[in-house]
């Protein structure tokens, strides 16, 4: 990758000059805001344009938005430059996808805090998530760990799985290369903007991935550099995009254990761990996972059997050039069959006049943190229309 493009000073932008999609991207550009707060703002105001037009005193009413953050949002035109950001993305061949776009990965819509914006090199497929396995582990991997990660990446990809990882040194890199060895698919989720690749030695790996073998993805603005919090944020996407998580080699305080915890507890995925030598610190995290209930795994065949994937399609059938059938309009967003439990009760309560968060909590006997993600999913599914003032209306 060449040196990152620099954003010119932000011009004075006006709200009427931004499309709804650009307004959403603008929210994602505000420093320190993040997807959780953006979702809270969208749920309160109903649309990104309404958030950007709101005064500070009204913004402060939203949970999690203090005076300092409210001031930053109210002054968005002075700290963001959405046109320069989109030009920078175009310069690097990066596609920008927002939560409201049909092309957004359906697998990530199940998250309680899905990324609002995704920057993409290459192409993902909705089918990638069907047998996706995240392979994670230590950056300081041993030759044993590197060999095992590459073997699992290769054999699982050859059997039809998409390998999800974070492009970091060590286990992540070996897993991505394993998928490429098989001519399979892999998705790399980064903890920084796509104007530069870290580590730099993986720039060639990125090129191999995006030449028809998957995608390199980030939720962060183009020029954002990696920081203390960006990799934990990245981990939740790796976990959510997967059906299973395999930890190959990890010390006791590895970020891979964070990914495994999210995968198992937040998304209900199966967590597998590779055993190692008992006197090696790099195996301590895997052994702790096994003690805590993760499935011990020694071969790709074991993982596929436990996941019920024994009738895996052959590689030659996976990468056919036959065009995919056109999507069914009835399932174009978040399919009814995948909607959260209690959907009909929520819609019935809103029809009955319980059309605010407080009223719904009282009517359904559920706390706000449980209702929030369900309401967001119903909006994505286009069954629910958000209104100003934090109200909701069932779509006609």
């Amino acid at each position: 990758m060449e040196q990152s493009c620099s954003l010119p000073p932000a011009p004075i932008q006006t709200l009427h000059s931004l499309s709804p999609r650009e307004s959403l991207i603008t929210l994602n550009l505000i420093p320190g805001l993040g997807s959780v707060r953006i979702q809270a703002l969208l749920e309160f105001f109903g649309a990104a344009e309404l958030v950007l037009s709101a005064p500070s005193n009204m913004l402060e009413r939203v949970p999690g938005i203090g005076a300092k953050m409210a001031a930053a949002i109210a002054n968005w035109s002075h700290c963001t430059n959405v046109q320069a950001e989109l030009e920078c993305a175009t310069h690097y061949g990066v596609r920008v996808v927002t939560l409201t776009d049909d092309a957004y990965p359906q697998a990530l819509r199940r998250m309680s805090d899905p990324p609002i914006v995704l920057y993409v090199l290459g192409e993902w497929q909705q089918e990638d998530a069907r047998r996706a396995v995240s392979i994670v582990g230590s950056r300081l991997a041993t030759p044993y760990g590197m060999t095992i990660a590459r073997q699992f990446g290769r054999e699982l990809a050859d059997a039809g799985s998409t390998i999800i990882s974070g492009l970091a040194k060590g286990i992540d890199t070996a897993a991505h290369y394993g998928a490429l060895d098989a001519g399979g698919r892999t998705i790399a989720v980064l903890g920084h903007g796509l104007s530069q690749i870290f580590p730099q030695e993986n720039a060639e790996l990125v090129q191999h991935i995006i030449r028809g073998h998957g995608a390199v993805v980030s939720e962060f603005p183009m020029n954002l550099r990696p920081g203390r919090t960006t990799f934990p944020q990245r981990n939740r996407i790796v976990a959510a995009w997967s059906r299973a998580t395999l930890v190959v080699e990890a010390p006791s305080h590895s970020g891979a254990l964070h990914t495994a915890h999210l995968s198992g507890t937040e998304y209900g995925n199966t967590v597998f761990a590779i055993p190692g030598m008992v006197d090696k610190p790099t195996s301590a995290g895997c052994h702790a996972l096994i003690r805590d209930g993760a499935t011990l795994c020694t071969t790709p065949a074991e993982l596929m059997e436990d996941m019920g994937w024994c009738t895996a399609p052959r590689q030659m059938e996976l990468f056919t050039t036959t065009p995919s059938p056109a999507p069914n309009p009835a399932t174009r967003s978040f399919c009814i069959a995948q909607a959260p439990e209690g959907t009909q009760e929520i819609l019935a309560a809103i029809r009955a006049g319980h059309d605010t968060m407080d009223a719904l909590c009282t009517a359904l006997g559920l706390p706000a943190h449980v209702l929030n993600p369900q309401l967001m999913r119903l909006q994505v599914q286009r069954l629910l229309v958000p209104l100003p003032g934090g109200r909701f209306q069932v779509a006609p």
Side-chain angles (χ1 to χ4, degrees):
M1 284 286 208
E2 56 185 276
Q3 190 174 9
S4 65
C5 52
S6 58
L7 272 66
I12 299 300
Q13 303 169 94
T14 57
L15 190 58
H16 72 266
S17 68
L18 301 182
S19 68
R21 185 171 178 275
E22 290 171 338
S23 297
L24 208 55
I25 297 170
T26 296
L27 281 177
N28 197 62
L29 289 173
I30 296 173
L33 190 53
S35 61
V36 173
R37 286 172 172 162
I38 293 175
Q39 283 212 80
L41 289 163
L42 293 175
E43 289 166 7
F44 186 88
F45 289 99
E49 309 94 284
L50 296 176
V51 176
L52 295 177
S53 64
S56 293
N57 60 344
M58 184 171 288
L59 291 165
E60 288 182 47
R61 299 179 189 174
V62 180
I65 305 295
K68 185 176 179 180
M69 184 56 68
I73 299 168
N75 290 289
W76 62 270
S77 62
H78 299 281
C79 64
T80 65
N81 187 342
V82 67
Q83 294 304 327
E85 176 75 358
L86 293 173
E87 288 170 10
C88 185
T90 300
H91 173 75
Y92 285 101
V94 171
R95 186 163 50 102
V96 183
V97 178
T98 73
L99 183 62
T100 59
D101 295 337
D102 287 342
Y104 191 89
Q106 297 294 341
L108 301 187
R109 296 196 189 277
R110 65 173 174 157
M111 299 172 67
S112 60
D113 59 340
I116 304 300
V117 177
L118 288 173
Y119 295 81
V120 191
L121 283 167
E123 295 287 338
W124 64 60
Q125 299 171 1
Q126 299 293 358
E127 183 70 6
D128 284 327
R130 189 170 68 91
R131 293 189 176 193
V133 178
S134 53
I135 300 180
V136 296
S138 176
R139 288 176 170 82
L140 302 176
T142 65
Y144 162 79
M146 297 288 284
T147 300
I148 293 296
R150 192 156 185 164
Q151 174 196 345
F152 270 76
R154 179 178 64 251
E155 294 189 27
L156 290 171
D158 189 58
S161 289
T162 296
I163 304 303
I164 316 285
S165 200
L167 204 79
K169 292 180 180 180
I171 298 301
D172 290 14
T173 294
H176 289 304
Y177 271 118
L180 295 175
D181 290 342
R185 292 187 58 77
T186 185
I187 294 174
V189 186
L190 275 55
H192 55 80
L194 291 183
S195 65
Q196 291 189 355
I197 295 299
F198 298 97
Q200 292 182 353
E201 57 263 34
N202 274 350
E204 184 177 354
L205 172 56
V206 166
Q207 293 306 311
H208 286 306
I209 292 173
I210 66 178
R211 288 175 188 150
H213 292 286
V216 178
V217 181
S218 174
E219 68 176 314
F220 299 108
M222 287 295 298
N223 286 324
L224 189 88
R225 296 179 66 83
R228 185 173 56 86
T229 62
T230 59
F231 291 110
Q233 287 178 251
R234 178 274 309 275
N235 292 345
R236 80 191 200 286
I237 301 176
V238 172
W241 217 328
S242 310
R243 292 281 309 283
T245 292
L246 173 71
V247 184
V248 175
E249 200 172 47
S252 297
H253 301 290
S254 171
L257 303 184
H258 177 241
T259 304
H261 176 76
L262 287 174
S263 184
T265 61
E266 186 80 10
Y267 304 113
N269 298 336
T270 305
V271 176
F272 296 89
I274 301 289
M277 297 183 69
V278 296
D279 62 344
K280 296 293 185 184
T282 49
S283 298
C286 291
H287 295 159
L289 285 173
I290 293 168
R291 287 198 308 274
D292 291 342
T295 302
L296 186 150
C297 185
T298 60
T299 67
E302 288 178 354
L303 187 151
M304 288 186 288
E305 181 178 1
D306 284 352
M307 293 300 296
W309 296 343
C310 293
T311 55
R314 294 177 48 163
Q315 179 185 339
M316 61 181 292
E317 296 169 340
L318 267 183
F319 305 107
T320 176
T321 56
T322 305
S324 300
N328 183 342
T331 59
R332 125 194 116 176
S333 185
F334 196 85
C335 165
I336 267 283
Q338 295 175 299
E341 218 176 301
T343 290
Q344 297 304 324
E345 290 82 355
I346 293 173
L347 296 177
I350 293 171
R351 288 192 188 98
H354 307 287
D355 60 355
T356 66
M357 177 61 73
D358 287 345
L360 283 169
C361 289
T362 302
L364 298 171
L366 295 173
H369 76 271
V370 172
L371 274 174
N372 266 333
Q374 298 189 48
L375 291 169
M376 178 60 73
R377 289 180 181 123
L378 287 170
Q379 291 172 61
V380 169
Q381 191 185 351
R382 297 184 175 88
L383 293 175
L384 202 60
V385 179
L387 301 175
R391 295 173 54 246
F392 300 96
Q393 174 182 300
V394 177

